[in-house]
Amino acid sequence: MKKLLLIAAVAVMGISAQAQEFRFGPKAGYSYSTLKLKGDGQSETSDPLHTFYIGGMAEYKLSDKFALQGELLYSQLGGKVKIAEADPSDPGTFLNFKSKETFHTLLIPVSAKYFITEGLSVSAGASFGLILSAKAKLSTDFGIGLPGLELNSDKEVDIKDQTSTLNIAPFLGAEYALENGLFFDARYNLGVSNLAKHPVGNEKTTNSFIQVGVGFKFGGN
């Protein structure tokens, strides 16, 4: 009986060792970021900020189906908030004025992953963003929605003292990985933290963003 128990224990340990796998590597990609402003019963979503992210990830596979993943990323997030809008009834006001708000953010996403197939997985988790600096720059456009017809002011204003440091964003995502270690992923991050450091009344500003990227995993069994 003791021998049988010992053999069974060794077999279970062997299966467990085969299931566990640690992999790590770089990743980078595109970010589509917007700000949502709420207050006095009204809500407005900013125009998007098109930026990038870069950093690294580490994945610990608990079994064939489940894994935990942590990342460290740098990204510029934010949005373009309308200050004044062109009035079609007044020919003298043909410009839209916006404040381009950029948050230089260190992101720490933590997630649980479920593998639908060996290469395809879905994930859920939260991204903890530390806003290192925040800048605002005046931009104008002609209000006709064509790309490239935008003018940016040379002057940037520091708005870090008006911006909260922590930006928490729960997310859902998906990843497809090739056998050689190359992977592609996408996720939607829903901002829940109020980034207005000194809100007036029920004023709230949140930052949500989409990430689409590519990376490479080293390591394995």
Side-chain angles (χ1 to χ4, degrees), residues 56-124:
M57 54 76 64
E59 175 194 88
Y60 184 68
K61 204 166 183 182
L62 302 171
S63 68
D64 289 339
K65 290 293 185 181
F66 295 98
L68 299 177
Q69 182 165 309
E71 302 167 37
L72 186 64
L73 309 173
Y74 166 77
S75 185
Q76 296 179 4
L77 301 173
K80 299 175 183 178
V81 180
K82 292 179 183 177
I83 300 174
E85 199 167 3
D87 184 356
S89 64
D90 184 356
T93 58
F94 57 89
L95 292 176
N96 290 328
F97 292 89
K98 302 172 186 176
S99 174
K100 180 181 177 181
E101 300 188 0
T102 305
F103 307 140
H104 299 266
T105 307
L106 184 66
L107 295 170
I108 308 173
V110 180
S111 60
K113 300 173 71 174
Y114 175 76
F115 289 82
I116 300 172
T117 66
E118 186 175 350
L120 179 64
S121 64
V122 292
S123 62

Side-chain angles (χ1 to χ4, degrees), residues 95-174:
L95 292 176
N96 290 328
F97 292 89
K98 302 172 186 176
S99 174
K100 180 181 177 181
E101 300 188 0
T102 305
F103 307 140
H104 299 266
T105 307
L106 184 66
L107 295 170
I108 308 173
V110 180
S111 60
K113 300 173 71 174
Y114 175 76
F115 289 82
I116 300 172
T117 66
E118 186 175 350
L120 179 64
S121 64
V122 292
S123 62
S127 185
F128 301 89
L130 301 176
I131 298 176
L132 307 176
S133 67
K135 306 287 185 179
K137 179 187 285 189
L138 182 67
S139 66
T140 61
D141 64 48
F142 293 96
I144 57 178
L146 293 179
L149 295 178
E150 183 176 289
L151 303 173
N152 288 309
S153 167
D154 292 333
K155 185 178 180 181
E156 269 192 333
V157 179
D158 192 327
I159 57 170
K160 183 63 179 74
D161 60 348
Q162 305 168 33
T163 307
S164 298
T165 300
L166 183 62
N167 182 18
I168 300 175
F171 66 79
L172 295 174

Side-chain angles (χ1 to χ4, degrees), residues 41-63:
Q42 296 182 332
S43 177
E44 178 186 351
T45 300
S46 75
D47 287 346
L49 196 64
H50 304 280
T51 61
F52 69 95
Y53 68 89
I54 188 169
M57 54 76 64
E59 175 194 88
Y60 184 68
K61 204 166 183 182
L62 302 171
S63 68

